[in-house]
Amino acid sequence: MAIIPINIKEGTLKLEDYIIGIDLGTTNSLVAIIDRISGKPKAIAGQNSEVIVPSIVYLNPNGEILVGEDAKPFLVDDPHNTIFSVKRLMGKSYSDVVISDSSIGYKLIDDNSESLVKIKSGDKFYTPIELSSFILKDLKKKAERHLGAKISKAVITVPAYFNDAQRQATRDAGKLAGLDVLRIVNEPTAASLAYGIGLNPEEGKTVAVYDLGGGTFDISILKIHQGVFEVLSTHGNTQLGGDDFDNAIIKFWSDTNSEIRNATQLPLLLPKLRLMAEDAKKQLSGAMNFEGVLTTENLAIPLSLSREDFEQLIKPLVDKTIESCKQAMKDADLRCIELDEIIMVGGSTRIEFVQNEVKKFFNKLSINTALNPDEVVALGAAIEADILAGNRRDILLVDVTPLSLGIETLGGLMDVIIPRNSKVPQRAARQYTTSVDGQGTLRICIYQGERDNIVHNRKLGEFLLSGVPGMPAGMPKIEITFMLDADGILKVGAQELRSGVEQHIEVKPQYGLTDKDLEQMLLDSMVNAKDDLNYRSLQEAKTEAQNLNYATLNFINKNKTELSESELEKTKSYIDLLKAAISTENKDQILKAHDELNDFTKPYAERLMDKAIVMALKGKTIEDN
Ligand code: ADP
Ligand code: MG
């Protein structure tokens, strides 16, 4: 049934008013809206009443593009042109993508390891952004058919650990599909909203969102307070999900049945076996036993699996997810008793064994499983869309940035401007100055990460602030402003405040980080904290020494006539000693040479200073003496 909203006051049809909520998943995608009559979110069903669109795109060599169920059969019939799990490739370069999954039948292009990864089909190349846009277009069409209205606005969800590049890629995919993406929302935030958590601004809660999908697992711990959704920690595994349960079943069958073992050697049988394994898994969510027959032209192999065997098979995999939960709780510095809710998301959480293990770990009698775990993220996205449409004015949603953002300063040091875990949107500014006289151009390099030495962090971009009028070192006042918008996309501005010269960029990173990298970066920052501190103090000592050398040289050049021959000679030799010390990279030596130069110049500097004061009192300065 098509529902067309009517503005009763004006008597007009408000066709443009719908904002859809989209869960763009690795395995499955879906679209949801708020039902105008019930006021509740609901997933939109297609022509055959199916709400789930498998995230599969078939690029028919004749130019036709099929999406979802229509594309699925080609995984077997034409694997080279059938693209699945494209979400894993979003915002990544070829060198970022580790293809551990040999079952990928399509071809990735590695012409340039630094640029975004492309997929080859026939003689055409596609980016993950384009491929995702095909799925989004399909979802948009589905919603338009259902509503009988054109749609141009959407909210799209992404995993909490997605970085700038991956969020930007998702936004771009929306644009390509003809959607104005009003907001990119974290999946665990959407799932909480679907359960009504965070809708009451008075209420504060701490929740764990356990999301076990087809190919990925994520655990996120959120603190929700006054409409602010703060991600306290995230953990997970991008190569663990329901597909692995299917594979475990296939392995079990082929280990225990030689006919099956031989059958797995036949490329055409494996897809059939995989479907049967998935079927067995799903049936065992209700039944205690599965019985089936794998049939081919000349074979009929009976297969069975008990609930008990199934649970034994998946136990090691489920244990891994529990390990991640443990880590996430540790990172969030929380005890299980401090959690108010456990929310279950993703098709694989229908498995009773999974639910029980999660209950056991978090020590809870009940967990949130009332909503359909396939739909819960899309339902939450629809609620967020409704909030953005202005229908729930009292609510504001805020997420948090996962890594620190900053710029490179002298000595290759990271200077953090927006610290990790800051709420977004966020605006922060800091003032800098120059270290060389008359410096007219400054290179501003932007980094993301937790280490003190920028080489260990990830460069997001750089730009030049040029046209700064010549001033002595230390005079210019350069204000660097970071603006992180609600989607986690960064805009950087630089302005020299005395002259007003300014420059801005929007950071659209060329390639992204895997969430493994992200985890690694956080881990490294802890492991290397001591080294980092040593590095920072060495760099600071070097910078200070260089500044002292520069200032001293300047001083003696300006005041040659006031100094004795031996003072000049000795000063120069101390400067040379300090230069030599700097090149040793030994902090103690640098500090020692720094102090020696300082101690030597101090008496005559004071002498000249006193003289300068006397002269100044007489209305003269040393320079025009
Ligand atoms: P994603 O978020 O990665 O796109 P989904 O949340 O849609 O994935 O989960 C898909 C996975 O859920 C598949 O592996 C599918 O086999 C599994 N699944 C769906 N229904 C059931 C069920 N009843 N029992 C067990 N697993 C299920
Ligand atoms: Mg999902």
Side-chain angles (χ1 to χ4, degrees):
M1 183 185 59
I3 303 167
I4 299 173
I6 301 172
N7 183 330
I8 297 173
K9 237 198 245 157
E10 296 169 12
T12 51
L13 298 181
K14 285 175 66 185
L15 294 183
E16 77 292 355
D17 228 1
Y18 268 104
I19 306 175
I20 53 177
I22 292 177
D23 171 7
L24 185 61
T26 311
T27 319
N28 296 312
S29 298
L30 50 164
V31 52
I33 48 151
I34 299 294
D35 186 297
R36 298 267 172 175
I37 295 164
S38 68
K40 294 218 166 76
K42 66 163 190 192
I44 296 178
Q47 279 159 327
N48 305 317
S49 73
E50 79 295 346
V51 294
I52 286 176
V53 174
S55 305
I56 304 170
V57 177
Y58 176 53
L59 305 160
N60 193 328
N62 72 19
E64 186 190 21
I65 293 165
L66 298 177
V67 173
E69 287 299 340
D70 295 341
K72 209 171 182 178
F74 295 97
L75 281 177
V76 179
D77 298 343
D78 189 4
H80 296 303
N81 297 310
T82 312
I83 322 299
F84 61 93
S85 292
V86 69
K87 185 172 178 176
R88 290 185 199 280
L89 308 177
M90 288 294 264
K92 305 220 167 159
S93 68
Y94 185 79
S95 56
D96 287 333
V97 180
V98 195
I99 308 145
S100 55
D101 191 350
S102 57
S103 67
I104 288 188
Y106 51 84
K107 193 165 164 38
L108 298 175
I109 299 303
D110 59 350
D111 55 345
N112 176 350
S113 64
E114 290 294 283
S115 62
L116 288 175
V117 66
K118 286 195 192 71
I119 291 139
K120 188 166 193 260
S121 166
D123 50 7
K124 285 208 181 106
F125 299 94
Y126 296 89
T127 63
I129 294 174
E130 285 172 279
L131 294 165
S132 298
S133 83
F134 297 145
I135 299 170
L136 291 172
K137 259 186 213 158
D138 192 74
L139 295 168
K140 175 174 179 258
K141 211 164 68 194
K142 193 174 177 184
E144 287 176 339
R145 204 183 293 129
H146 175 83
L147 294 167
K150 281 269 168 249
I151 287 180
S152 64
K153 293 180 182 143
V155 166
I156 304 179
T157 58
V158 297
Y161 60 76
F162 255 30
N163 63 23
D164 278 355
Q166 292 167 303
R167 285 166 197 263
Q168 188 63 50
T170 306
R171 185 174 265 280
D172 289 346
K175 209 182 280 170
L176 260 188
L179 289 168
D180 180 8
V181 181
L182 300 183
R183 187 69 64 92
I184 300 282
V185 183
N186 287 337
E187 286 163 12
T189 297
S192 308
L193 282 174
Y195 274 100
I197 301 165
L199 288 177
N200 176 0
E202 305 297 306
E203 148 200 273
K205 274 192 169 167
T206 307
V207 306
V209 181
Y210 178 102
D211 183 348
L212 188 57
T216 58
F217 167 68
D218 301 309
I219 173 81
S220 315
I221 314 291
L222 308 187
K223 194 170 140 202
I224 302 161
H225 185 63
Q226 295 187 328
V228 176
F229 285 69
E230 188 176 352
V231 182
L232 296 181
S233 65
T234 66
H235 210 271
N237 190 330
T238 45
Q239 308 288 341
L240 175 64
D243 297 347
D244 299 293
F245 298 174
D246 304 346
N247 290 333
I249 296 174
I250 294 170
K251 181 163 185 308
F252 174 76
W253 281 338
S254 59
D255 283 351
T256 52
N257 185 325
S258 59
E259 269 184 301
I260 292 290
R261 192 157 50 245
N262 296 334
T264 55
Q265 304 303 315
L266 307 170
L268 282 178
L269 258 187
L270 195 56
K272 264 196 173 172
L273 195 60
R274 184 161 278 138
L275 285 179
M276 184 150 273
E278 188 178 5
D279 211 25
K281 171 183 78 175
K282 287 184 179 172
Q283 283 193 30
L284 288 172
S285 288
M288 293 309 287
N289 259 302
F290 167 82
E291 306 272 352
V293 183
L294 184 73
T295 50
T296 65
E297 279 162 24
N298 41 23
L299 274 178
I301 314 169
L303 289 166
S304 66
L305 186 65
S306 69
R307 171 89 74 102
E308 207 185 326
D309 283 340
F310 172 61
E311 291 181 354
Q312 279 309 312
L313 287 177
I314 64 169
K315 185 168 188 314
L317 298 166
V318 178
D319 284 350
K320 279 194 190 172
T321 70
I322 299 297
E323 274 307 309
S324 286
C325 295
K326 216 178 268 175
Q327 192 57 47
M329 290 298 284
K330 204 168 144 207
D331 291 350
D333 200 13
L334 284 178
R335 288 168 304 143
C336 291
I337 193 150
E338 294 172 280
L339 285 178
D340 299 302
E341 310 268 354
I342 314 292
I343 296 172
M344 300 296 271
V345 181
S348 303
T349 61
R350 285 215 180 77
I351 300 169
E352 214 179 282
F353 179 72
V354 171
Q355 296 179 3
N356 289 337
E357 292 298 295
V358 171
K359 263 188 224 166
K360 220 163 53 190
F361 171 73
F362 286 109
N363 200 12
K364 296 275 178 231
L365 291 175
S366 72
I367 52 179
N368 288 283
T369 52
L371 294 173
N372 183 332
D374 300 322
E375 296 180 1
V376 56
V377 169
L379 298 179
I383 295 175
E384 166 84 35
D386 200 38
I387 294 169
L388 290 176
N391 297 334
R392 303 173 189 226
R393 282 183 202 285
D394 48 337
I395 302 167
L396 174 80
L397 296 179
V398 185
D399 281 320
V400 161
T401 177
L403 286 173
S404 301
L405 296 161
I407 63 164
E408 175 183 359
T409 55
L410 270 183
L413 288 175
M414 171 86 171
D415 204 39
V416 171
I417 297 185
I418 297 183
R420 135 186 162 74
N421 271 343
S422 298
K423 294 182 181 74
V424 290
Q426 178 78 239
R427 187 178 189 284
R430 213 168 238 231
Q431 282 189 14
Y432 297 88
T433 189
T434 52
S435 55
V436 180
D437 285 341
Q439 195 176 340
T441 302
L442 275 106
R443 183 183 299 277
I444 319 265
C445 298
I446 303 144
Y447 284 85
Q448 183 179 39
E450 307 310 312
R451 300 289 299 276
D452 280 340
N453 183 346
I454 46 99
V455 299
H456 299 302
N457 292 336
R458 176 168 165 265
K459 190 169 184 176
L460 294 179
E462 64 171 49
F463 66 105
L464 293 177
L465 177 66
S466 45
V468 176
M471 285 182 246
M475 269 295 275
K477 275 187 169 177
I478 297 144
E479 186 165 82
I480 309 282
T481 313
F482 273 38
M483 280 156 292
L484 192 60
D485 71 15
D487 300 327
I489 291 163
L490 181 67
K491 291 192 182 73
V492 179
Q495 186 178 28
E496 200 290 301
L497 297 177
R498 294 182 195 277
S499 60
V501 175
E502 62 181 323
Q503 200 61 249
H504 294 272
I505 60 162
E506 183 164 331
V507 177
K508 278 192 193 165
Q510 283 302 295
Y511 58 95
L513 290 171
T514 63
D515 52 324
K516 261 236 159 61
D517 292 339
L518 188 112
E519 249 170 54
Q520 197 58 46
M521 284 168 85
L522 291 178
L523 203 68
D524 284 351
S525 74
M526 294 175 220
V527 173
N528 297 299
K530 203 162 152 237
D531 287 350
D532 274 12
L533 195 69
N534 289 338
Y535 176 80
R536 180 174 282 276
S537 50
L538 170 64
Q539 294 308 317
E540 282 170 357
K542 276 167 76 175
T543 303
E544 211 168 300
Q546 270 151 0
N547 285 344
L548 181 66
N549 261 354
Y550 183 76
T552 311
L553 264 178
N554 245 349
F555 186 82
I556 58 173
N557 280 338
K558 279 186 186 156
N559 299 293
K560 268 189 194 115
T561 53
E562 302 291 327
L563 298 170
S564 71
E565 202 54 37
S566 107
E567 277 172 335
L568 280 174
E569 279 305 304
K570 278 209 168 132
T571 304
K572 279 182 189 152
S573 74
Y574 276 120
I575 287 177
D576 288 340
L577 283 176
L578 183 52
K579 268 190 198 154
I582 291 172
S583 63
T584 63
E585 302 275 320
N586 179 323
K587 191 187 80 186
D588 294 336
Q589 283 194 35
I590 298 171
L591 290 178
K592 187 164 161 270
H594 174 276
D595 290 349
E596 281 168 359
L597 172 61
N598 217 10
D599 290 347
F600 181 74
T601 58
K602 217 170 167 187
Y604 71 67
E606 275 167 11
R607 187 182 81 220
L608 287 181
M609 205 67 85
D610 291 345
K611 191 171 174 203
I613 291 168
V614 176
M615 298 286 241
L617 290 176
K618 288 188 192 156
K620 284 187 149 191
T621 67
I622 292 185
E623 268 115 315
D624 51 38
N625 194 3

